[in-house]
Amino acid sequence: MTPKGKLIIIGGAINTGSFTETTFGLPQNMNFFERGILKKITTESLKGTTSRFEIITTASLVPERVGEEYIKAFVQLDVHDVGVLNIHSREQANAEENCDRIKAADVIIFTGGDQLRLSSIFGGTAIHQILLDKYQDEPVVIAGTSAGAAASSKNMIYQGSSKDALLKGEVKITGGLGFIDGVIVDTHFVQRGRIGRLLYATASNPGILGIGLGEDTGLYISNGNTMEAIGSGMVILVDGRNMADTNLTDVDMGQPVSINNMTVHVMCDGDIYDLMAHKLTIHHPKVVSID
């Protein structure tokens, strides 16, 4: 069944949402606004600037500051009906008051931080089920940056160093929030050299598509299938369906892993990938000559 909701996943490293993971401040990250990711979230919402937004700061270690940054960011876009939900326990994720707020929201945004907090606090709770139902049955926008993006898929990377990623057992995978299936998402991808993490994750399950989101970059996913790159950076796709061979099951824990014939695609702003057809369409902007 095709979901009526829309999913926007963002690679992170922006002041609004994941600034605690970087030394960057808002003035150095105005591309986030100029390239329109927050604006995209707003324009794709049911009521535009009058939509009800809920910011879920659960993943962050400084939720109050993160919530304030989001409120300030959306004020710049003339969005004023913004609430912050700092849910830090499963009891709160089942609380009727918080459930009612999620039911009434047109846009729900998961901030950056630790994606394992998202899966362990929300997994199987009343709010989690409400979100899954809303995404399937209503024109809601669910967005996530950094940890919020990583937790959006059914499979989720939650640990693994970049430099040792292709050693057996280094990359840790668990279940995510499951808004989209058939993919696995990694964030801060280009800047932190995480290609090894995604290669390993895809080699261990070649039927899923690895998605590496660069910083200040995202994917706008509609119909549960059409993925459009947005933002100023790159999205790396790792497709393991045609992988010829790997020694993953033969080597000991901690030993390097070999992979033969993995397909890699690079997406930039405006490019579209069809998850059903496994087809990438590259956007070729028209070049306007200057006389």
Side-chain angles (χ1 to χ4, degrees):
M1 185 175 176
T2 301
K4 295 181 179 178
K6 303 167 184 177
L7 189 63
I8 297 178
I9 52 177
I10 308 156
I14 48 169
N15 198 357
T16 45
S18 56
F19 70 96
T20 55
E21 301 181 51
T22 76
T23 59
F24 295 123
L26 188 57
Q28 291 80 28
N29 283 274
M30 288 307 292
N31 275 343
F32 187 65
F33 301 96
E34 292 169 358
R35 300 299 293 234
I37 296 179
L38 278 188
K39 188 175 182 180
K40 181 74 169 177
I41 293 173
T42 303
T43 57
E44 291 296 337
S45 64
L46 182 62
K47 304 169 189 171
T49 56
T50 62
S51 292
R52 173 62 183 175
F53 285 63
E54 289 288 359
I55 314 299
I56 297 179
T57 58
T58 302
S60 176
L61 293 176
V62 283
E64 292 81 9
R65 290 183 60 194
V66 170
E68 290 172 3
E69 291 295 323
Y70 266 101
I71 290 172
K72 291 177 184 176
F74 279 112
V75 165
Q76 295 186 44
L77 295 174
D78 198 30
V79 177
H80 301 281
D81 193 5
V82 182
V84 177
L85 276 171
N86 178 23
I87 293 171
H88 53 78
S89 70
R90 291 182 61 81
E91 180 181 5
Q92 290 180 327
N94 284 304
E96 184 176 357
E97 177 185 359
N98 293 330
C99 290
D100 289 342
R101 286 178 60 173
I102 293 297
K103 288 177 182 178
D106 303 301
V107 178
I108 298 102
I109 301 176
F110 289 91
T111 70
D114 180 357
Q115 56 262 43
L116 198 57
R117 284 180 57 81
L118 293 176
S119 60
S120 62
I121 290 175
F122 285 103
T125 63
I127 281 183
H128 185 206
Q129 190 59 54
I130 291 167
L131 286 168
L132 291 171
D133 291 342
K134 281 178 74 76
Y135 182 63
Q136 194 67 40
D137 301 330
E138 301 177 24
V140 67
V141 175
I142 297 177
T145 183
S146 189
S152 65
S153 53
K154 186 174 181 179
N155 298 285
M156 180 184 81
I157 297 173
Y158 71 92
Q159 187 177 320
S161 74
S162 299
K163 68 182 182 69
D164 296 326
L166 283 172
L167 302 182
K168 183 175 179 178
E170 179 63 28
V171 176
K172 305 297 192 298
I173 299 172
T174 189
L177 298 179
F179 301 120
I180 186 168
D181 197 4
V183 304
I184 193 164
V185 180
D186 210 350
T187 59
H188 304 279
F189 191 74
V190 178
Q191 292 78 2
R192 299 189 185 180
R194 287 179 167 173
I195 184 65
R197 296 199 341 171
L198 210 54
L199 286 170
Y200 184 93
T202 309
S204 67
N205 187 353
I208 62 174
L209 180 73
I211 298 174
L213 299 172
E215 295 179 351
D216 189 39
T217 308
L219 281 176
Y220 164 59
I221 305 171
S222 56
N223 302 316
N225 173 60
T226 304
M227 307 194 306
E228 178 186 354
I230 55 177
S232 63
M234 293 177 289
V235 179
I236 311 298
L237 304 180
V238 177
D239 185 350
R241 290 176 304 120
N242 294 318
M243 183 180 71
D245 194 15
T246 179
N247 64 352
L248 180 61
T249 59
D250 304 316
V251 299
D252 293 330
M253 297 294 288
Q255 294 300 304
V257 173
S258 301
I259 303 169
N260 181 16
N261 201 46
M262 193 76 80
T263 303
V264 176
H265 305 287
V266 180
M267 299 178 68
C268 296
D269 191 47
D271 295 344
I272 294 175
Y273 188 86
D274 187 319
L275 270 172
M276 292 287 290
H278 297 284
K279 179 182 179 181
L280 173 63
T281 302
I282 293 178
H283 172 61
H284 293 273
K286 293 182 179 179
V287 178
V288 179
S289 60
I290 300 176
D291 296 329

